[in-house]
Amino acid sequence: MTDIRACQIKPEELKEIVSAYKDTSDVKKVQSTGLHVAGDKYVVIKADDRSLYGKKGKTGILIVKTTQAILISHYPETVQPGSAATTVEQLADYLIGVGY
C-alpha cells in the first residue's frame, strides 16, 4: 500500500480486525497469524483491547478502537512509528472524550 487514497479494506479484512478485538486471550491469535489490511500482511507488534499495531518493513498500521469507531491509519517509512502512534492514540482519546 503506497498511496493512502488506494487503501481499500475488504470486508474479510474488517472481520479479521473485529475478531482480533473480540479475542480475549492473553496472547491474541492475530499476534501469531498477522493482520491483513488493504491486501498487505502486517506483523502484529501490539494487540490489546484498544489498539492493534502492525508493521511491514519500514511502514505500518495503527488501529485504535473508540466508543463508536475503529480508526485505521497507515504510516509511511518517512514517519517515525512512535510519532504516528502518539497522534492516532491522541485522536482516539479526543473522540472517546466527546462520546464518539
Side-chain angles (χ1 to χ4, degrees), residues 50-61:
R50 173 178 155 135
S51 305
L52 301 170
Y53 293 6
K55 214 150 154 58
K56 180 182 176 199
K58 294 182 179 182
T59 68
I61 55 165

Side-chain angles (χ1 to χ4, degrees), residues 5-60:
R5 293 170 293 174
C7 179
Q8 297 207 354
I9 301 171
K10 299 176 181 129
E12 59 269 18
E13 293 171 336
L14 285 175
K15 287 179 185 174
E16 197 176 328
I17 291 167
V18 171
S19 292
Y21 280 118
K22 288 182 177 180
D23 184 350
T24 58
S25 310
D26 285 339
V27 177
K28 295 180 181 275
K29 180 181 175 187
V30 72
Q31 290 174 281
S32 61
T33 61
L35 191 62
H36 297 85
V37 175
D40 290 330
K41 183 176 180 180
Y42 292 86
V43 174
V44 175
I45 56 175
K46 176 182 178 179
D48 59 33
D49 293 340
R50 173 178 155 135
S51 305
L52 301 170
Y53 293 6
K55 214 150 154 58
K56 180 182 176 199
K58 294 182 179 182
T59 68

